[in-house]
Amino acid sequence: MGMPGTDSMGRVAQIWRYPVKSMHGEEVAKARLTADGLEHDRLYAFESPAAPAGMLRLPAQDRRELLRFTARQRDAGVEVVTPAGLRLAVDSPEMVAELPAGVRLTYEPTPQTDVRPLALIGLRTVESVSEGLGVALDARRFRANLLLDLPEPFLEDSFVGRTLRVGSTAMLCILERDPRCRFITFDPIDPFGQPLIPLMKYLDRHHQTRAGVYAAVLTPGPIARGDEVVLV
């Protein structure tokens, strides 16, 4: 049972951080939410002068290329595992040499997200979209920081404008439904395979091209896999 004035919604199923924007991230058992978002999330990013005007840092081809790399936070800094299995420091010349010409590394002390600091999605939401498409979707397509075990698909949409407590102390303000871009059409395992264009069409037809929600951190605190998620 939740505390008086609260409503238990479910639990945290997975926590994902992406030390380098657009690269594969890493699942962690516990993490810390700071005032700016998830600690160690998207502090590094690569950008290219060939990127289209607007918020995008890279053209689509280069974003697909970055999906072939996996970034991990280590005590000594961020380590990147290349498609060939090399382990390179993110800021090393060897790492830059792995990428298309002209791409450069940027670092910010706060997450370099496109819109909002934190992304959440329910596992039932991913399952519902999978059933609607007739395709088993890997939840990593949606690049959420928190995957939530909630009882109903798209239940997280009802959290918009509300406060969510995760674990014992961390508080989130759920800001808006997450408008998706074509990045989710790329297979996180085989990014240069055929893009799943029907995914965007399905979300457009049934969910206003939205899946998951964005949040800001009201009260920092530790979080862990299995933590209760409570509407306050």
Side-chain angles (χ1 to χ4, degrees), residues 11-19 25-33 37-42 118-121 123 139-140 143-149 166-167 170 221-229:
R11 296 194 175 273
V12 175
Q14 298 175 29
I15 303 170
W16 285 86
R17 67 184 177 201
Y18 298 89
E26 56 182 347
E27 184 182 3
V28 295
K30 58 184 179 180
R32 181 170 181 80
L33 291 174
L38 188 68
E39 191 172 36
H40 302 303
D41 186 57
R42 296 174 171 94
L118 203 66
L120 296 71
I121 196 168
L123 290 178
R140 289 176 295 178
R143 299 184 69 80
N145 297 114
L146 303 185
L147 296 181
L148 304 180
D149 187 2
V166 181
I223 59 171
R225 186 188 302 134
D227 274 352
E228 191 176 24
V229 174

Side-chain angles (χ1 to χ4, degrees), residues 14-194:
Q14 298 175 29
I15 303 170
W16 285 86
R17 67 184 177 201
Y18 298 89
V20 181
K21 184 178 175 64
S22 298
M23 286 187 178
H24 262 308
E26 56 182 347
E27 184 182 3
V28 295
K30 58 184 179 180
R32 181 170 181 80
L33 291 174
T34 72
D36 298 309
L38 188 68
E39 191 172 36
H40 302 303
D41 186 57
R42 296 174 171 94
L43 302 186
Y44 287 95
F46 287 95
E47 62 183 22
S48 167
M55 293 186 299
L56 296 179
R57 297 168 181 266
L58 295 167
Q61 187 77 357
D62 289 352
R63 296 180 83 193
R64 295 174 81 172
E65 180 67 29
L66 284 186
L67 268 177
R68 301 172 63 232
F69 296 80
T70 299
R72 301 168 177 168
Q73 182 67 43
R74 296 294 181 258
D75 290 341
V78 173
E79 174 188 83
V80 175
V81 182
T82 73
L86 299 175
R87 298 175 183 271
L88 304 174
V90 67
D91 55 355
S92 66
E94 293 81 5
M95 181 64 238
V96 175
E98 292 278 331
L99 299 175
V103 171
R104 70 180 188 91
L105 180 68
T106 66
Y107 172 83
E108 297 289 344
T110 58
Q112 299 185 64
T113 53
D114 288 333
V115 183
R116 304 292 191 181
L118 203 66
L120 296 71
I121 196 168
L123 290 178
R124 301 292 91 75
T125 297
V126 178
E127 291 172 2
S128 175
V129 176
S130 295
E131 291 170 4
L133 280 176
V135 176
L137 297 177
D138 188 325
R140 289 176 295 178
R141 280 183 184 267
F142 297 94
R143 299 184 69 80
N145 297 114
L146 303 185
L147 296 181
L148 304 180
D149 187 2
L150 304 174
E152 301 171 19
F154 291 91
L155 182 61
E156 60 271 26
D157 291 358
S158 68
F159 301 164
V160 173
R162 305 285 300 278
T163 297
L164 203 66
R165 192 183 77 234
V166 181
S168 58
T169 59
M171 295 282 193
L172 306 178
C173 175
I174 308 303
L175 300 170
E176 62 178 317
R177 297 165 66 203
D178 189 343
R180 310 311 310 210
C181 70
R182 64 174 295 192
F183 198 42
I184 63 171
T185 68
F186 302 145
D187 188 330
I189 304 302
D190 181 20
F192 281 94
Q194 185 69 25

